[in-house]
Amino acid sequence: MKRILFICMAMAIGSLYATAQTECKNCHGSGLEERTCAFCSGEGWRECDFCLGKKMVRCNMCQGSGEVVCAHCNGRGGTQVKDNWRECQWCDGKGTPECVECKGTKTKVCWKCEGAGRYVCNQCNGDKVNKWQCHVCGGTGKVKEEQSSTVTSTYKDDSGYSGTVEVRIDPNDSEEEKMRKMTRARLAHRKKQMEARGITVK
């Protein structure tokens, strides 16, 4: 009985060890990572798609003409009554009076951006970044606790410097961090080679 109990405990401890987790370094345990907003390119603002940033749009009442046809005289300027011409009192005989909406300017302030020519990005709400599920931990905030591994990389550049470097890679390192470590190791190796040839590197 004791032996069976011991075996069960050993299996449980082994299982816990195999699934031991640690905080994800990429998202610091939040499960989310920030990325530059692709909709506003990190500006926080987007150009108004209605006025195309011009701030003004064509007046929809006069269709950009600055004038409207008088509804009372149908644009005639008055009415012929027997032998007398009665001037329209509504448009003062003009027939096509100035548009009251745009005051004859043919344009009016864009209703969508209210004359700003742009509006706060509706994807990041002006924060310039969006939060997405962490690609390292899959949004859990935890990753399997594993030992760091050493990766060997061989390089050769256009200046004739070459060699093999070893880089310590952590399981939580993102692809960007792995590339940075590789680059730093190669530069350090190249610097040693240059110094060995008597070339001073600052």
Side-chain angles (χ1 to χ4, degrees):
M1 184 69 180
K2 290 183 179 180
R3 184 177 181 183
I4 295 174
L5 182 62
F6 176 77
I7 293 173
C8 291
M9 290 178 64
M11 289 177 64
I13 293 171
S15 176
L16 287 171
Y17 179 77
T19 58
Q21 293 184 324
T22 184
E23 184 181 278
C24 176
K25 292 181 180 179
N26 187 58
C27 66
H28 304 291
S30 67
L32 298 172
E33 60 179 314
E34 290 187 347
R35 300 180 192 171
T36 300
C37 179
F39 295 91
C40 64
S41 299
E43 295 294 328
W45 293 85
R46 297 176 66 182
E47 183 182 88
C48 178
D49 53 8
F50 192 78
C51 68
L52 302 179
K54 296 179 180 179
K55 303 180 181 181
M56 305 294 289
V57 293
R58 186 180 70 170
C59 177
N60 57 356
M61 178 171 281
C62 65
Q63 300 302 316
S65 66
E67 300 175 341
V68 291
V69 176
C70 178
H72 297 277
C73 66
N74 200 26
R76 295 192 300 268
T79 306
Q80 186 72 36
V81 180
K82 295 183 179 181
D83 296 332
N84 297 321
W85 176 259
R86 291 184 181 179
E87 188 177 85
C88 178
Q89 61 178 339
W90 301 99
C91 65
D92 295 327
K94 295 177 182 179
T96 53
E98 183 182 88
C99 176
V100 295
E101 190 74 19
C102 66
K103 307 300 181 184
T105 62
K106 304 180 182 181
T107 59
K108 49 189 292 189
V109 175
C110 177
W111 61 270
K112 188 168 185 177
C113 65
E114 298 181 348
R118 59 181 188 172
Y119 59 90
V120 177
C121 177
N122 53 7
Q123 296 297 321
C124 67
N125 295 320
D127 293 334
K128 303 181 181 182
V129 294
N130 286 323
K131 290 185 177 181
W132 298 81
Q133 179 178 288
C134 177
H135 72 281
V136 175
C137 64
T140 63
K142 298 288 184 180
V143 293
K144 288 183 179 180
E145 190 173 11
E146 300 174 0
Q147 297 297 319
S148 299
S149 59
T150 301
V151 177
T152 302
S153 174
T154 302
Y155 75 96
K156 183 176 182 180
D157 59 26
D158 296 335
S159 302
Y161 293 98
S162 61
T164 302
V165 295
E166 291 186 349
V167 182
R168 179 73 66 177
I169 301 297
D170 294 325
N172 294 341
D173 286 345
S174 63
E175 291 301 319
E176 292 79 5
E177 181 60 26
K178 291 177 184 178
M179 290 300 297
R180 281 194 289 267
K181 286 184 175 182
M182 290 283 189
T183 302
R184 286 195 293 265
R186 291 172 182 175
L187 289 174
H189 189 267
R190 179 183 173 182
K191 181 179 178 182
K192 289 181 179 179
Q193 287 184 325
M194 295 177 71
E195 290 175 345
R197 295 182 185 181
I199 302 174
T200 303
V201 182
K202 295 182 179 180

